[in-house]
Amino acid sequence: MARTVIRVHVLPTTNVMTGTPAVPKWKDQENGIRAVDFETGAPLCTLTLFVMEGERAEALKVTVPQTGLPNGLHPGRFVRPVDLFASPWARIFNDQLQEGVAYRCAALELVDGPAMPQETTGLEGAAA
């Protein structure tokens, strides 16, 4: 079966903040086998990102190669995901359908602070 991969575009006005520290992703935790990137062999990590646009916020669990994690990354830092993709998935486990979306990016770049919202004109006709 073909795997669907969808590029996720992050607008310049979108704020993305780390919510958790990066932790190792395991292929087989009981035997200590880390999940690795198929192309580079780099160990994979997961972390939660908060994606904020306007008055909306979504929490995404994102997989990132360890080589794509910048120094100084910690919860609360604003970042820009590089090459963010979404992969829908589904499986049947114990006769129950489970489904979701897996997110993955090539790297995270630190940014200085939140993106500034676009200029708004305010309330029209309001007295100053």
Side-chain angles (χ1 to χ4, degrees):
M1 180 165 71
R3 182 173 160 217
T4 301
V5 179
I6 304 164
R7 179 179 293 275
V8 178
H9 179 70
V10 179
L11 297 172
T13 56
T14 300
N15 290 306
V16 181
M17 183 175 67
T18 56
T20 62
V23 296
K25 183 171 183 168
W26 298 97
K27 181 177 183 178
D28 182 352
Q29 191 168 8
E30 289 180 15
N31 293 310
I33 302 172
R34 292 277 306 266
V36 296
D37 183 276
F38 291 120
E39 294 176 8
T40 66
L44 297 173
C45 297
T46 59
L47 69 156
T48 300
L49 297 179
F50 295 116
V51 179
M52 300 166 281
E53 291 181 336
E55 295 180 6
R56 293 183 41 136
E58 298 288 334
L60 304 179
K61 183 177 178 181
V62 180
T63 298
V64 185
Q66 190 170 333
T67 54
L69 298 173
N71 290 331
L73 184 68
H74 58 78
R77 287 296 307 257
F78 286 93
V79 295
R80 174 85 31 210
V82 176
D83 293 332
L84 180 62
F85 287 90
S87 300
W89 61 269
R91 69 177 181 175
I92 296 177
F93 183 74
N94 289 336
D95 294 326
Q96 296 291 318
L97 176 65
Q98 298 175 336
E99 58 187 344
V101 177
Y103 293 92
R104 171 123 180 222
C105 68
L108 295 173
E109 296 175 343
L110 297 178
V111 295
D112 290 333
M116 298 304 292
Q118 294 179 345
E119 281 291 319
T120 57
T121 58
L123 298 174
E124 294 190 13

